[in-house]
Amino acid sequence: MPQSEHGVTLASIYAARKRIAGQVTRTPLIRSVALSERFSAEVFLKLETCQPTGAFKLRGATNMIATLIERHGRDALAAGVTTASTGNHGRAVAYAASRLGVPATICLSTLVPANKVAAIEALGATVKRVGNSQDQAFEEVARLVAEASMTLIPPFDDPLIAAGQGTIGVELLEDQPDLDRVFVGLSGGGLLGGIGAALKGIHSRIQVTGISLSKGAAMWESLQAGHPVEVEEVESLGDSLGGGIGLDNRCTFALVREVMDDHFQVSEAAIAQAMVAMLADEKLLVEGAAAVGLAALEEHAIDIRGQKVALIVSGNGVSLETFDQARAIAQR
């Protein structure tokens, strides 16, 4: 599929890398002794948990805001940027905007706990509490864009967002040029699409494996259908991998279809067991979406013997309460 259909190129990823340098952490790639021994392979962990906001989302948000400043000047963003997110993306937009000197408004429903509101406000953003659902919060975002001239920073479906996430792929190959395979969580497609575009652009032989939830996997269902479709969102330990991709998806559907080589779906039990193993063996407390690479290896008995493999550990946005739930599931 031509790159023009999604707008993400290796050149745009390298441009993003230069643009976000100094604003975003170049995260470590560590060899896991335990996993390497368990799977008779060289298994590496890419620790996006080391970002200041605890997740990879900071890369894309920083790249998009910085690019808009470059192209249109800071005055074009005088009204501010906006989005609706209770998790990694909202924190990333708040942090990136603050670092780049741009006002940010994050729209949250009234159901969002006070501690999450305070965490986003602590990063310098204005929080607007609107409605009783995420959909109603997004309605307020649309109003701010239309009536207050704010600029939307989307969570995944934009070439600038995907290029920012793609800088992870460049770092992977700088640290381990002879990687054979990379396991990436698949949701809206910005992370997998960006990383895949970087890896394929540098070494096309590298296998890109996507992992989705067993239920509510919008991108995977859309790929099976041949066009974006809606799916019912379900509660999951890997909640960051839930949600739709947008029926009017203009970037990541085409990008993922181009760069992903294979795909696995993982159960709640497998995610829970992987979360517990990451803490026990790697001393890493991670969210469910960050553990799906290990979950897939275990649940599907994927043969990686003799290979060099990287797992993208995408974020640490998990509460102790949720981790306790995972531990209880893993012990059943």
Side-chain angles (χ1 to χ4, degrees):
M1 179 172 292
Q3 286 183 321
S4 60
E5 289 197 39
H6 50 68
V8 182
T9 66
L10 186 58
S12 71
I13 293 170
Y14 273 108
R17 184 172 185 262
K18 182 177 180 181
R19 192 175 291 118
I20 68 177
Q23 304 290 333
V24 171
T25 298
R26 189 191 192 286
T27 56
L29 181 69
I30 64 168
R31 180 182 181 273
S32 168
V33 175
L35 296 181
S36 295
E37 291 180 355
R38 186 183 309 172
F39 295 106
S40 300
E42 292 289 303
V43 180
F44 297 89
L45 306 177
K46 181 62 168 169
L47 300 182
E48 286 299 292
T49 51
C50 293
Q51 292 295 349
T53 57
F56 73 94
K57 290 281 190 178
L58 186 58
R59 295 174 183 264
T62 301
N63 185 49
M64 184 167 188
I65 296 172
T67 302
L68 293 173
I69 292 172
E70 286 179 11
R71 291 178 179 175
H72 308 294
R74 197 175 303 275
D75 288 347
L77 297 180
V81 296
T82 186
T83 196
S85 169
T86 62
N88 294 332
H89 181 61
R91 290 193 294 272
V93 171
Y95 183 92
S98 176
R99 290 292 300 271
L100 294 169
V102 173
T105 297
I106 311 300
C107 297
L108 305 174
S109 83
T110 56
L111 299 181
V112 176
N115 65 311
K116 289 191 174 184
V117 175
I120 292 175
E121 288 177 332
L123 293 172
T126 297
V127 171
K128 294 200 72 173
R129 309 297 298 274
V130 181
N132 296 313
S133 69
Q134 185 81 336
D135 286 343
Q136 289 177 319
F138 268 110
E139 289 174 5
E140 177 63 10
V141 170
R143 189 193 69 78
L144 291 174
V145 171
E147 299 179 12
S149 300
M150 290 189 180
T151 300
L152 170 65
I153 307 299
F156 56 86
D157 190 31
D158 188 279
L160 293 172
I161 297 292
Q165 323 305 24
T167 59
I168 296 171
V170 174
E171 292 176 15
L172 284 173
L173 293 185
E174 287 177 340
D175 291 342
Q176 287 295 328
D178 52 351
L179 279 176
D180 296 299
R181 192 173 187 178
V182 177
F183 288 77
V184 192
L186 178 64
S187 179
L191 180 62
L192 184 144
I195 291 175
L199 297 177
K200 298 295 186 180
I202 298 170
H203 292 306
S204 60
R205 63 170 182 79
I206 298 176
Q207 189 171 352
V208 177
T209 298
I211 309 102
S212 298
L213 304 176
S214 60
K215 297 179 181 178
M219 180 63 80
W220 178 241
E221 294 296 334
S222 296
L223 291 170
Q224 297 294 98
H227 57 84
V229 298
E230 291 183 342
V231 299
E232 182 180 354
E233 190 169 352
V234 299
E235 187 175 348
S236 172
L237 292 169
D239 55 356
S240 296
L241 298 183
I245 68 167
L247 295 180
D248 58 347
N249 187 289
R250 65 189 184 91
C251 171
T252 56
F253 175 76
L255 181 57
V256 170
R257 186 161 61 177
E258 179 182 312
V259 303
M260 188 171 72
D261 294 299
D262 59 349
H263 176 270
F264 296 91
Q265 291 178 277
V266 289
S267 66
E268 288 298 293
I271 295 173
Q273 290 161 6
M275 291 172 68
V276 171
M278 290 289 276
L279 182 60
D281 297 336
E282 311 298 336
K283 303 302 181 280
L284 294 171
L285 181 64
V286 301
E287 61 193 71
V292 294
L294 175 56
L297 285 171
E298 293 280 20
E299 185 168 27
H300 296 282
I302 301 170
D303 186 1
I304 58 170
R305 286 175 295 177
Q307 296 182 13
K308 281 194 173 183
V309 170
L311 310 183
I312 307 301
V313 185
S314 54
N316 60 13
V318 60
S319 67
L320 292 179
E321 180 183 11
T322 299
F323 184 79
D324 286 343
Q325 293 173 2
R327 184 158 46 193
I329 293 172
Q331 291 172 347
R332 290 175 186 169

